[in-house]
Amino acid sequence: MKKGRIPTLIIAMLVGLTGAVGAAELSAAGGQGSLTIIEPDGSQGTGCPLEHTLVKAEISGFMARVEVTQTFTNPRKEKIEAVYTFPLSSNGAVDDMVMRVGDRIVRGAIKRREEARRIYERARDRGYTASLLDQERPNIFTQSVANIMPGEKVKITIRYGELLPYEDGAFTFVFPMVVGPRFIPGQPVGKQGTGRAADTDAVPDASRITPPVAEKGSRAGHDIDLTVSIDAGVPVLKFDSKLHQVEIERSSPQRAVVSLKNKKEIPNRDFVLQYTVAGEEIRSGVLTHKEKEQGYATIIMIPPKRVVPEEIAPKEMIFVIDCSGSQRGRPLEKAKETMKYVIENMNAGDTFNIIDFNSGARALFESPKENSAENRAKALKYLNALEARGGTWMGPAIETVCRNPAPKNRLRIVTFMTDGYVGNDFEIISLVKRLRGKSRWFPFGTGNSVNRFLLDNMAKAGGGEVEYILLNSPGEETAKKFYKRIASPVLTDITVSSEGIKLEEVFPEAVSDLWEQKPLIFKARYEKACKGTVVIKGFASGKPFERHLDVTMPEQEHANSGIASIWARAKVDELMQTDWMGVQRGTPKPEIKEEIIKTALAHRIMTQFTSFVAVEETVVTVAGKPVRIAVPVEMPDGVSREGVFGTDAAPMGAHSRKSVRGVYMKSNSVRPRRHAGRPGSSPTGTPGGWEFSMRGAPVGRSVDAMKPAEEAILTETEEKAEASADESTDLEDRSKLKASAALHKLSRDLQALVRAYGEKGKPSELTVGKLKVVEGKITVQVMLGGTGEEVFKKLKDAGLEVQFRAVAGKSVVGTISVGHLEELARIPEVQFVKGVEAGL
């Protein structure tokens, strides 16, 4: 421990709930709504310090200003440090953070992320109350609060602004309440955060975005109070709260206050409020803000009405469906329901194919087939047979779609149905952007708490539109809307220019085709007061379209202060798009990173590289005992616990005496875990995401380094060889396993398969558990410690027929004779071999 450091109790939380690697358990005896902390010595401790979450949103026209206040109370006799992870809007610009300790208020300062961390840690070590707000993803944040005195309340208030989406006469306000479990690809490289997953070479911050999940039958919750005040500017025709019961008070046709009816409701799904306005009264316009020298403008242009063409051009329809474990149950059924309608209602000249993915990607046909009754029947039979299991390897699915170029005589339309529960968001967006060619991608978010940041940006990168299918949404209604959308774009080849006024840094710089009747929104800077015209040009139904908007840029305008932050967020988004992969890997281009930091510091907004820090220096806390406690988060509504973690998986918050368990650990043995700890999820690119537990790691201490895979697997096999006699393995077999160093690299299922294969005379057909031998061969996934053509030649010489190679080259999937598995495992670069389940 650092000299002078005052020890703290650390509580890792998400959504106002916590997330740390297995140092706490939930007590089912506490009942619904109660949370019991188990101390390292097994004794019962006091409860979760997050007492209350208050959300206030004020909406005026297209603009929303949201304030989130988390109240913490320290029930312990020693001081605590609380660390919690929570979601916010994927489109919001976070520009303020305030800490209140008793009657004292400290406003957060925006700093470079590394500098903010140093300030916070120095204050924490000196005993000052301090808070630190980090952005892990544009929609995932981590808040740390140090040195909360016994019995003291600390309130942290975060504010952000955003523009609301408007489509076909309706505005939608979404407040996310839970971060779903993420699939993490890559090889473990250590651990920096309090999450359940190890950081990997593909997702260096995985431990900061993977909080544990509350045990079945209990809740990790707290009270939540949410109020939305609306001044639409035009009459509101109706309100629709999609997933929560609300109370509505209307003071006029244009104004209303909507509040959550049940404040004790479990925060396990997004709050989605849609309100329809008198559409004919929505007009193009401009919002401005100017103080001192710099002015900002948001330009809103309403597009022309849709014109349905008399003859619809034939398309190539590619239907991609996520069949990973997190989709089990209602999410997959809703996706099937929607996809079935789309397949049954394709146009006569269309061609199509289905690609499903989880731990791998498969296609119904080798290439798209014509829309015939026979082919549709095959497709519906294939669709009905799909089951949700395994990981979420999203990258292979994208590569499968893009492997062959789209035909020149028709437009390729890709529908992508998923919850988006992956940790390498940026990599997936980059993959779509790089590989899509001229195809158009239409993601469908299936579920009540999906990853909207990923899905929104897949649509942007793919030149299409996103649709969200809530579990209570009619699939047919969503499918009809999709067909209406792709029949013909509303506007293509869009450009924006100005006459008589000088606009600077207009974002977005490039606008893709507009597929729905939703406003075009541009953010810009200006310096001098002026009057002029903004001109939008494009093509509507193949004919030239042009619209002029007269605007006035004032010398001073104190209203609409959030416009500056929204412009800065738009600029940051534009910069991020130029180097998604660099940001994902933690190695962004230096010039891009510096420009993002410069923009963020000048406008006080959160980014991947800037953080808010606040220090209250009037009171120094007393010393306490160092303890780390994990408080799990809720499982998102509608997501199958068994699909994600398996039927016999250990509780998310559980810990053992010997090891720090990860998300998908089923026992104290070392076994591969997907998604940095999630068995039913998948990564956005490469299939090689494994995590190994550290035997003997002290409970409550983060793991800074992982044992080599070979050593960890060796330990597991030695333990197995010493297991009690009630196991099915006899002493002779165990002795052989222990003597064979190569077999140590095989997963437990594969070891059992090898034994059964030899005992039964090497049959050509054999099923052991979920693994299936066909014509003497088994499908396996191989994790590699080295890459290059020489390595892949060794794999081929050993008998492995490679079917898929990960983008990073660190993992391959292929078939091999069972008799050649030991030879494969002898290759030095092979770190681990796992069987792929039958039917996957």
Side-chain angles (χ1 to χ4, degrees), residues 293-297 299 498 501-507 509 522-528 553 567 571:
E293 296 82 14
Q294 193 63 67
Y296 300 88
I299 301 155
S498 59
I501 55 175
K502 185 180 180 180
L503 298 178
E504 301 174 344
E505 295 188 280
V506 181
F507 303 114
E509 292 181 347
F522 299 91
K523 299 95 174 179
R525 290 193 305 118
Y526 73 95
E527 291 185 357
K528 297 180 179 180
M553 301 296 175
W567 173 86
K571 181 174 180 178

Side-chain angles (χ1 to χ4, degrees), residues 590-604:
E591 64 274 16
I592 297 297
K593 179 178 178 179
E594 285 305 310
E595 187 63 22
I596 290 174
I597 292 173
K598 178 182 175 182
T599 301
L601 294 179
H603 295 84
R604 278 181 56 84

Side-chain angles (χ1 to χ4, degrees), residues 68-90:
V68 182
T69 301
Q70 304 276 5
T71 301
F72 294 90
T73 300
N74 180 6
R76 305 295 292 260
K77 294 181 179 179
E78 62 272 4
K79 66 180 180 179
I80 65 172
E81 177 183 9
V83 181
Y84 61 102
T85 305
F86 59 98
L88 291 176
S89 168
S90 59

